[in-house]
Amino acid sequence: MPRRSQRTRSVLTFFAEDAATHTLLYANADLAKASQNREIVAFADHWREVSAADPKLLIFDSKVTTQAQLAELDARGIGFITLRARTPKLTEHLHSLPAKDWTPLTVARAGGKTRRVRVIEDPAATLSAYPGTLRQLAITGLGHDEPTILITNQSDTPTKHVIEAYARRMAIE
């Protein structure tokens, strides 16, 4: 067990699972930290090779891609939902918003349970290296001290469905 400021050997892996069937579709246990941020595009390429079409929707952790690769996915017509990093400036902005700006919403959880969350949606959020705008959802009530921030290119998907889809990914992880 490493102590503070010490490194230890670890293994980086990437798994892709079908959300509906829970079937393992792809795995890579030979990742290097330097190449991990290209893995989502590598999976999309693999999927196109085996199925002759790009995947319709990918839900993933933000560490497996960059903003330029998000643009590449969007250009290929691949839908995505991922986390956005919580910068101090963004977190401060969200905390400064009045309570009336947050929309209450009930989302489904595993086992037939529900959870009450609050959401602020920005349909045209900008990122520093992304060439367009993305839909951004800031969500409180998911069990974290700070809001969870999702970005997606799925502008027509209901807010509730975006949150529930990402929450399923968190449960798998």
Side-chain angles (χ1 to χ4, degrees), residues 38-51:
R38 180 94 182 135
E39 194 61 20
I40 199 69
V41 174
F43 168 72
D45 292 342
H46 166 77
W47 187 258
R48 182 177 26 181
E49 194 175 298
V50 299
S51 70

Side-chain angles (χ1 to χ4, degrees), residues 30-110:
D30 191 27
L31 284 178
K33 196 163 187 97
S35 65
Q36 75 178 359
N37 63 4
R38 180 94 182 135
E39 194 61 20
I40 199 69
V41 174
F43 168 72
D45 292 342
H46 166 77
W47 187 258
R48 182 177 26 181
E49 194 175 298
V50 299
S51 70
D54 278 326
K56 292 189 183 347
L57 177 65
L58 297 173
I59 303 169
F60 51 89
D61 187 284
S62 58
K63 290 183 180 177
V64 295
T65 194
T66 63
Q67 292 178 27
Q69 288 151 10
L70 290 178
E72 182 180 336
L73 293 175
D74 194 44
R76 287 171 62 172
I78 300 172
F80 62 83
I81 303 170
T82 189
L83 290 174
R84 179 178 182 180
R86 278 185 230 123
T87 62
K89 184 178 178 181
L90 180 57
T91 302
E92 183 181 321
H93 168 71
L94 292 171
H95 285 302
S96 71
L97 295 172
K100 68 176 179 61
D101 289 355
W102 293 83
T103 303
L105 190 63
T106 301
V107 294
R109 293 175 53 196

